[in-house]
Structures are given as C-alpha cells and as structure tokens.
Amino acid sequence: MQKIFSRVNVPCLGRIKDKHNALSGLANFHRPSGALCQMTPGEDPPPGFPEMPPCGFKPEEYKDMSKEHMMEIRRQNCNPMIMKVTYYKKPVFIHQGHMQWLWDVDGRRYLDLFAGVATVSVGHCHPKVTAAAEKQLRKLWHTTNIYVYSPLHEYVDKLAATLPEPLKVIYLTNSGSEANDLAMLMARLHTGNFDIITLRGSYHGGSPQTMGLTSNSAYKYPIAIGLGCHNTMCPDVFAGPWGGSHCRDSPIQTIRNCSCPQGLCMANDKYIGQLKEVFATSVPSRIAAFFGEPIMGVGGAVQYPKNFLKDTYKLVRERGGVCIADEVQTGFGRTGSHFWGFQGHDIMPDIVTMAKGIANGFPMGAVVTTHEIAASFGRGVHFNTFGGNPVACAIASSVLDEDGTQQISHEMGTYLLMGLSKIRDKYEIIGDVRGKGLQIGVEMVKDKASREPLPPAAMSEIFEDTKDMGVLIGKGGVYGQTFRIKPPMCITKDDADFFLAVFNQALNNYMERKIKSINCSK
C-alpha cells in the first residue's frame, strides 16, 4: 500500500471555473460509449474532469451472453424481485473483477466502493484467496460436519483467536440472515424468554424470523412474521430529535450544535429514556435479547452516542436478556480502529453474528457465543448441510491470513471522511458525513436546516452520474437518503482522491441542472 499523506485535500474541487465550461465539459463527458476514462490508450480525459487511477490488470475479453439476452432472461425467468432491486436505470453488466476494480461486458472499468454490499472484504478475486479456493477445490468440494475434516477446524481455531473470552464457541452458517435467525433461537432457548428489541431503521435479514428484527417497511410483508420483536428509537444524532457535535466515535461529527457539559451526553440520556419507555410499555419484565449493529449498515451507516450500547447492554441484562452484536457488515476490521465493531464501544456481547466479508463474497456466515449459551442450544438437534463447507472454510481462512486490511480501513476511511466533510461544507444538500474506517455514510437532505431527506429522484441523478463517471457506491437509510461507501479493504489514496473528485463533480452536475431548471421555469 502506498504512503498515506497526513494532509487531506479534495482534488478537482473548483477546477471548472465557470458555468459555461462546466456544461460544455458535461456534454463532452456523458457520451453513449461509456464512463469517464474508459478510453482508448493515449486518449486524454476531457479537461476539468477527474482521471481514473491506472490499473495494471487486464480483464479477459467478454464472449458470453449479449446484454439483451441477459435482460430478457432476467425479466422472464428470474423472480421479479431481481428486477425490483436492480440499482440503476441503465444496468451495469459486470464481467470480471480484480481487487477494487470491476469491468463490465464492454470493457469499461469501475472503482467498486460498495463491494457487493460490504461483502468483498480483501478484494475481488484476490490472488491469495483465489489460490486457496483452487487448492481446496482440487481436494474436497463438499462434505458435512457430521465428519471431521481439517478446513473446518483450522478456520474455527483461527476465528476464535480473533475474539475475546468468553466468545469462543462457533457455529458456521451460509448467510447473515441465517446467522441472525440462529442467534434469535439461541437467545430464546438460553433465557427462557421470548421478546427481542432492535433499533428502529435497522436491518438484520430477510428470513421469516429476521424480518421481525428488521425495522424498515420496505423489507416487510403483510403477514405474521418475527413474533415477539420490538424496536426502540434509533439514536441517530444527526436526523433524530437529539444530537450534537460531540456525540459519536468518528473523525467527523454532526453539524448540530452541542451544549452538553464536558463528559456528559444529553442525547444519549434521551435515547436511553426512549428504550426505558419500551421496557415500561411494550415488553414483559423479562426479555430474551437486544440486537444491534455497532454501526448501522442498510440503515445508512448511522452511529450512536458513544455510551448508548454500553448503557443499553446494562439495561437488557437487568431484564434477563442477552446482548447480540450483528457484525455482518462491521466485522473483520472494516471499522478500522478494531477488528470487531463492538470493541469500539467497549462492550462485551453474549452472541456475535457475522457474514458478508467473512469469506470475501463466498456464501458463509457464523454465530459465535459462550459455552453456556451453546449448551442451551444443544438441547435439540440442529443440522446445516452446507455450514462449514470445506471450500468456504479454506477461503475464509485465507481472508483471515491477509495482513493490513484493518490499517487500510483506518487510514483510508479517515482520509475519505475528512475529504467528504469538506464536500459537505460546500453543498447545502449534504446533511451529514459519518462513519468509521470504511463503513461510511453520506446523508443527503433538501437543506441543512430542515434535515429532510433528499427526494429519491434527486438521489438517483447523483447516483447514476457517479456510476457514469466510473464509481459504484450504494444507497441506504429508511428513505434511501444515504449514500453508502463500503469498498474492499484494499483501496489506495489515489482511489480515494478519484472518488472524492467524481462525487464532487456529480453533486456539481446536479446543482447545475437544478439551477438551470429553476431559471427555465421563470
């Protein structure tokens, strides 16, 4: 990894000197042939626009299905839900990946800052991970954990070593939803209680049980699901009723003022008060569990007041419940300061769930807990055909062997956050920049005073423009108002500078179109 400079600058801000040049550059840039810098060798980029960092990897020539044929199959034979979640107006047809880069079927290159929804942890087709998969594929593709085989035990031993005592008992699954579903079962069996509390706006999976944990109407169906699940107010110090400029553990704080005395957080006290209301009105005196992500994922990278989870864990345990940390998105060094997100809150969960980055995109998940809770789970028989698959374990083991990813998350995440905060100060439509490491959210608003979400159509314009300039990011939040930046943990400073320039340009393009529209309507 190249040297990280301490001085933070945002390249290309203000490069385009006047409106005429901006609009003429835009016209030259958005050409049907594709994104910026997808040019023939030796061709210069349009003046004033950010240049994509070089990449020495050459993808294979695409020779498979046509785009039209793929879309026809997608419409006719894939479940309609696949079309519903297609992100872009003009879909991206992905062909190949290498580290932080993706190529489409036309050979265009994209900087992937969403990593398959925070899943590609160490890089697309990372050479060492690929080699580990190939080696295992030549020996044994599949057997089940009714037999004893080395890859499972080697991986479990490595994973346990990353977690503090008493979190040392591991059950392997195939996904985060499955892991969270299993954690719900373990909590209820161990405590003898039923009710579980989550945060409003959270996402914990799409299985019939975890849909109850998930508190976002977009992921709900009008059927009886997730009985016994309740939610408390999300302690969002930007968009929520309470918050200030010293609340969260992040290089960047909110733009809200703070009048709290030194060492105190009135916002935290208010949100804990809301949790106490839930205890008083919505659940029995004894509960099974509290479920929470160290930093929200799908919910929009929301961060809580510094002591919120610590105070919550204390109250939950007083009521007989166990505390579950959902590390599906925050685990494996993504937050930068710690390997596990919960460690940044100075808390000790009773159960930890994980998936996504655990195997760099290969389907896998895990539930880690204590010997006591695991013993309660052993009252019956639970069998998972694919959990602990030899290939999955070999891949996950090689992910743990990769050095430096947590440090990259810390350095590059801080660099991005500082750069994004400068862009926030430039545009009225950016309300908040937040996160830790490479778990970053940029909340878009109509204006900073109201903090009302930027409408979906406007979000889509900026989103599409960013993609057309060669960068893939995500969206999240209850209203889809937050851009999510969660790249593979191998990006460089040049990549970060390129994204900051592209994102700034996309915002500038949007504001230019908005001003032009207003002027035309007069």
Side-chain angles (χ1 to χ4, degrees), residues 5 32 55 65 91 171-172 174 184 188 201 208 220 239 278 290 323 354 364 371 397 417-418 430 435 474 499 513 519:
F5 297 97
C55 173
M65 278 187 186
Y171 193 98
L172 298 176
N174 306 293
M184 294 174 71
R188 285 167 168 164
K220 299 282 193 180
V278 173
F290 168 81
C323 299
M354 58 197 71
M364 190 177 189
H371 284 281
S397 186
L417 285 162
M418 297 298 290
I430 299 183
F499 163 66
R513 289 192 294 267
N519 290 338

Side-chain angles (χ1 to χ4, degrees), residues 11-18 47-51 426 501 504-505:
C12 299
L13 303 193
R15 258 192 207 171
I16 299 175
K17 301 298 184 183
D18 56 61
F49 286 96
E51 183 174 357
K426 182 180 177 182
N504 175 75
Q505 188 62 56

Side-chain angles (χ1 to χ4, degrees), residues 63-111:
K63 297 179 179 179
D64 297 327
M65 278 187 186
S66 70
K67 291 185 283 188
E68 294 76 16
H69 192 191
M70 283 191 280
M71 288 307 296
E72 181 65 21
I73 292 171
R74 199 172 178 91
R75 285 188 290 266
Q76 297 297 324
N77 303 115
C78 294
N79 190 285
M81 187 58 67
I82 301 297
M83 288 298 294
K84 189 172 183 179
V85 299
T86 299
Y87 252 30
Y88 297 102
K89 293 177 182 176
K90 297 178 182 177
V92 180
F93 294 84
I94 296 299
H95 165 46
Q96 193 166 353
H98 176 74
M99 302 305 284
Q100 65 269 47
W101 302 104
L102 289 171
W103 285 263
D104 70 13
V105 299
D106 297 314
R108 301 187 187 102
R109 178 160 57 102
Y110 298 88
L111 177 62

Side-chain angles (χ1 to χ4, degrees), residues 163-178:
L163 289 143
E165 292 285 356
L167 296 167
K168 296 295 181 182
V169 184
I170 297 164
Y171 193 98
L172 298 176
T173 67
N174 306 293
S175 71
S177 292
E178 188 180 345

Side-chain angles (χ1 to χ4, degrees), residues 45-284:
F49 286 96
E51 183 174 357
M52 184 176 282
C55 173
F57 181 84
K58 185 177 180 180
E60 298 174 4
E61 182 183 354
Y62 182 76
K63 297 179 179 179
D64 297 327
M65 278 187 186
S66 70
K67 291 185 283 188
E68 294 76 16
H69 192 191
M70 283 191 280
M71 288 307 296
E72 181 65 21
I73 292 171
R74 199 172 178 91
R75 285 188 290 266
Q76 297 297 324
N77 303 115
C78 294
N79 190 285
M81 187 58 67
I82 301 297
M83 288 298 294
K84 189 172 183 179
V85 299
T86 299
Y87 252 30
Y88 297 102
K89 293 177 182 176
K90 297 178 182 177
V92 180
F93 294 84
I94 296 299
H95 165 46
Q96 193 166 353
H98 176 74
M99 302 305 284
Q100 65 269 47
W101 302 104
L102 289 171
W103 285 263
D104 70 13
V105 299
D106 297 314
R108 301 187 187 102
R109 178 160 57 102
Y110 298 88
L111 177 62
D112 182 10
L113 296 190
F114 200 35
V117 193
T119 300
V120 179
S121 49
V122 299
H124 292 282
C125 301
H126 189 291
K128 292 180 181 177
V129 178
T130 301
E134 290 175 347
K135 181 180 178 181
Q136 184 58 47
L137 281 167
R138 291 190 184 98
K139 291 196 294 186
L140 180 66
W141 284 32
H142 174 72
T143 185
T144 73
N145 53 31
I146 64 174
Y147 304 111
V148 181
Y149 50 99
S150 177
L152 184 150
H153 298 84
E154 286 180 6
Y155 179 65
V156 165
D157 186 50
K158 282 184 182 179
L159 182 60
T162 70
L163 289 143
E165 292 285 356
L167 296 167
K168 296 295 181 182
V169 184
I170 297 164
Y171 193 98
L172 298 176
T173 67
N174 306 293
S175 71
S177 292
E178 188 180 345
N180 284 342
D181 200 299
L182 198 56
M184 294 174 71
L185 176 60
M186 289 182 180
R188 285 167 168 164
L189 286 170
H190 182 69
T191 63
N193 302 324
F194 189 69
D195 294 78
I196 299 174
I197 297 174
T198 61
L199 298 176
R200 207 164 295 159
S202 63
Y203 178 88
H204 296 285
S207 70
Q209 285 296 313
T210 56
M211 271 194 278
L213 297 177
T214 294
S215 178
N216 184 324
S217 66
Y219 300 96
K220 299 282 193 180
Y221 289 91
I223 57 174
I225 52 173
L227 299 177
C229 295
H230 313 266
N231 59 69
T232 185
M233 182 182 287
C234 175
D236 184 344
V237 297
F238 169 71
W242 307 289
S245 56
H246 304 288
C247 294
R248 62 193 184 203
D249 177 23
S250 173
I252 305 300
Q253 299 294 329
T254 73
I255 57 175
R256 299 174 75 170
N257 293 325
C258 184
S259 58
C260 296
Q262 185 70 26
L264 296 177
C265 181
M266 291 186 284
N268 183 63
D269 295 342
K270 292 288 189 180
Y271 290 116
I272 289 295
Q274 290 294 306
L275 175 60
K276 290 178 178 177
E277 282 289 311
V278 173
F279 286 135
T281 62
S282 303
V283 296

Side-chain angles (χ1 to χ4, degrees), residues 486-499:
K486 302 174 182 186
M489 294 181 284
C490 59
I491 64 166
T492 68
K493 179 179 174 292
D494 286 346
D495 301 331
D497 285 340
F498 175 62
F499 163 66

